[in-house]
Amino acid sequence: MKLPVGIQVYSVRDDAAADLEGTLAKLKEMGYDGVEFAGLYGKTAAEVKAVCEKTDLVPISAHVPFIEMLKNPDGILSQYAEIGCKYVAVPYLSPEFRPGTPNFEYTVAFIEILGRAAKKAGIQLLYHNHDFEFLKLDGKYALDILYETVPEDLLKTELDTCWVNVGGENPADFVRKYSGRAPLVHLKDFFGEKSENMYELIGIESKVPPRPQGFQFRPVGSGLQNFPEIIKASYDAGAEWLIVEQDKPSMGLSPMECAAKSIEYLRSIGQ
């Protein structure tokens, strides 16, 4: 049942910005098999590809802002094809593009256009969810509507299991729901209840100060998630990779210490 484990470099973004090669080398030493990018840290695609080759880490995928891809789909996607990424994900929707707004119908149509552009570049497009996609429209989750509307060959899932849980669903059940369409599964742990500063915690929105004892992201295995169940579901669903992501460090640990704690836990349970 062992699946390869990657890490979203956003988890250690400050370290990567200061020294991408050194950071990736340390992640490899920790035991990670691959990386998912969120930006190229001022480097060219050729330079990033060379760093991955030197550190022996698979460049699995990348999170690329929705608007950035829409402005120049062929140019942006060709960069990630050059790096060797098999997947590119729409990572987040700003409020004006979300379910419940007049633009959501257009968002879905634009995502299908991006899926076709990705196919042309030899890349598979994914969608990485948060909790706002669990808004029900005509009795269905907006996330399900997205996947029902865009053909499966143009859009596959990158289910973030933390946000599935926060959205009110069992992560393992939801991964199984998309069996055959779930090549990458985000492993993200958390502790506490949903609060109004959720998106401040992922470094995007800043509305209220973080609560001292509110919601926090945790290293994998240090929070409320049932990872043996989630990993079994990922395997059953045909996942190719498990990807660790922790948007903000916690427990008094640095981002790199959190990354180490996550992979240590996963190796301890046989991953």
Side-chain angles (χ1 to χ4, degrees):
M1 283 180 56
K2 186 171 181 178
L3 290 169
V5 178
I7 184 169
Q8 168 52 262
V9 181
Y10 187 75
S11 308
V12 292
R13 53 194 176 275
D14 291 341
D15 297 89
D19 179 7
L20 182 62
E21 183 177 325
T23 300
L24 265 55
K26 289 175 184 175
L27 293 172
K28 179 66 177 180
E29 289 172 10
M30 289 177 191
Y32 286 99
D33 304 301
V35 284
E36 178 176 69
F37 291 101
L40 302 183
Y41 303 97
K43 298 191 179 296
T44 66
E47 288 169 336
V48 172
K49 180 180 181 180
V51 168
C52 289
E53 290 174 348
K54 187 172 181 179
T55 56
D56 193 28
L57 283 167
V58 177
I60 310 159
S61 50
H63 281 190
V64 183
F66 179 56
I67 293 299
E68 187 177 317
M69 277 197 282
L70 279 179
K71 287 179 178 177
N72 183 17
D74 294 337
I76 294 294
L77 290 164
S78 66
Q79 283 186 305
Y80 292 97
E82 182 180 350
I83 291 168
C85 294
K86 186 176 178 181
Y87 301 100
V88 163
V90 175
Y92 178 80
L93 295 175
S94 53
E96 67 271 25
F97 295 109
R98 292 179 189 171
T101 71
N103 290 329
F104 183 62
E105 183 178 347
Y106 298 103
T107 299
V108 174
F110 289 145
I111 287 173
E112 181 167 338
I113 290 169
L114 291 177
R116 295 186 187 282
K119 280 288 183 189
K120 182 180 174 183
I123 288 173
Q124 175 65 59
L125 188 69
L126 309 174
Y127 184 83
H128 170 266
N129 64 281
H130 290 80
D131 65 324
F132 51 75
E133 297 91 347
F134 288 89
L135 175 70
K136 284 197 172 180
L137 303 173
D138 297 324
K140 292 182 179 181
Y141 287 133
L143 188 62
D144 292 328
I145 291 171
L146 171 65
Y147 291 128
E148 288 174 6
T149 306
V150 182
E152 182 174 339
D153 66 318
L154 299 181
L155 184 69
K156 295 188 185 294
T157 73
E158 184 176 45
L159 294 172
D160 185 300
T161 55
C162 166
W163 292 111
V164 171
N165 194 327
V166 170
E169 289 291 335
N170 179 288
D173 291 346
F174 217 79
V175 169
R176 284 195 176 92
K177 178 178 182 176
Y178 284 100
S179 291
R181 198 174 181 173
L184 309 185
V185 176
H186 261 208
L187 303 186
K188 184 184 293 181
D189 216 344
F190 69 95
F191 186 82
E193 299 294 330
K194 182 174 179 177
S195 69
E196 63 267 28
N197 71 311
M198 301 287 282
Y199 293 101
E200 190 276 337
L201 289 172
I202 65 172
I204 295 177
E205 297 178 10
S206 182
K207 295 182 178 178
V208 298
R211 293 176 177 175
Q213 295 183 339
F215 183 96
Q216 61 178 215
F217 297 112
R218 290 270 183 97
V220 172
S222 301
L224 300 176
Q225 296 272 58
N226 185 340
F227 284 109
E229 180 183 68
I230 290 169
I231 292 166
K232 174 67 162 59
S234 300
Y235 182 84
D236 292 345
E240 298 172 10
W241 285 87
L242 304 172
I243 298 183
V244 169
E245 183 178 44
Q246 186 174 345
D247 303 81
K248 191 171 184 177
S250 60
M251 302 175 66
L253 302 174
S254 70
M256 290 295 281
E257 288 169 337
C258 288
K261 191 171 179 64
S262 289
I263 194 67
E264 286 165 8
Y265 167 77
L266 290 171
R267 296 309 184 205
S268 77
I269 62 169
Q271 282 303 310

